[in-house]
Amino acid sequence: MKENFVIKKAVVDDSEKVGEVFDLYRQFYKKDPDKIISIKYIKQRLANKDSKIFFVEENNICIGIVQLYITFDSLELAKKIILYDIFVRSEYRKKGIGTMLMNAAKNFAEENNSYFIYTSTTAVFGSPPCPIKETTSVCTNGYYACLLYTSDAA
């Protein structure tokens, strides 16, 4: 059976399916399961336009998400994007879903004239979280920071 993965930009109506995967993401980082609060959080982010979320689905089931926050860099006088959340359901890993999500983030950055995409996380499992090889990764006291994309136009 051929997999039929589709990437979409989330809207408020997608809150429940995206929120379910967001809850799995939070559990990955040792937070207690709470699907209701996770769905509510995602719904608020989308309704308030606080973040942009892209997700991959197959047969109307969300299997991976990336959540982006737009902010600004006062030194570069440009927009920048914080990639705060990226997660793929365990049974769908190693199938290119993470790459699809990272490409969606990069395309969004380019389309919105963002200077760069930045992410950081704690070293929960002892290895850098950067999902692509073309990154700069620095670890200080168990905290990783990764520069994932830099625009030529800054």
Side-chain angles (χ1 to χ4, degrees):
M1 181 172 111
K2 186 176 182 330
E3 295 157 327
N4 190 24
F5 302 136
V6 179
I7 191 145
K8 297 181 175 181
K9 184 176 174 183
V11 295
V12 175
D13 289 344
D14 298 315
S15 297
E16 188 167 331
K17 68 173 97 175
V18 171
E20 288 177 14
V21 174
F22 183 70
D23 189 51
L24 295 173
Y25 161 79
R26 294 184 76 248
Q27 290 174 50
F28 179 81
Y29 282 100
K30 309 298 185 203
K31 299 296 181 186
D32 292 333
D34 194 333
K35 202 184 300 188
I36 292 170
I37 201 79
S38 293
I39 292 168
K40 182 180 177 184
Y41 179 85
I42 292 298
K43 188 173 189 172
Q44 287 174 338
R45 298 294 69 73
L46 292 170
N48 295 336
K49 299 182 181 353
D50 294 332
S51 69
K52 301 296 180 196
I53 301 172
F54 294 91
F55 68 102
V56 175
E57 73 175 7
E58 181 183 47
N59 300 321
N60 207 34
I61 297 170
C62 180
I63 57 179
I65 62 169
V66 63
Q67 184 164 206
L68 309 169
Y69 293 88
I70 299 171
T71 187
F72 296 89
D73 186 309
S74 26
L75 295 178
E76 297 299 332
L77 304 175
K79 286 185 205 173
K80 68 179 177 181
I81 293 176
I82 308 299
L83 187 158
Y84 206 87
D85 313 304
I86 185 166
F87 185 80
V88 176
R89 290 179 186 261
S90 59
E91 64 270 26
Y92 287 94
R93 293 189 187 142
K94 307 252 185 236
K95 296 185 179 203
I97 306 301
T99 300
M100 289 176 72
L101 292 166
M102 289 304 302
N103 286 338
K106 183 179 177 188
N107 291 341
F108 178 77
E110 290 172 348
E111 291 166 7
N112 288 278
N113 299 313
S114 296
Y115 178 60
F116 64 81
I117 301 173
Y118 171 86
T119 190
S120 63
T121 189
T122 55
V124 176
F125 301 105
S127 62
C130 298
I132 57 175
K133 293 179 184 174
E134 299 80 25
T135 63
T136 303
S137 180
V138 178
C139 179
T140 307
N141 296 327
Y143 191 79
Y144 285 94
C146 306
L147 183 61
L148 302 173
Y149 161 80
T150 304
S151 167
D152 297 331

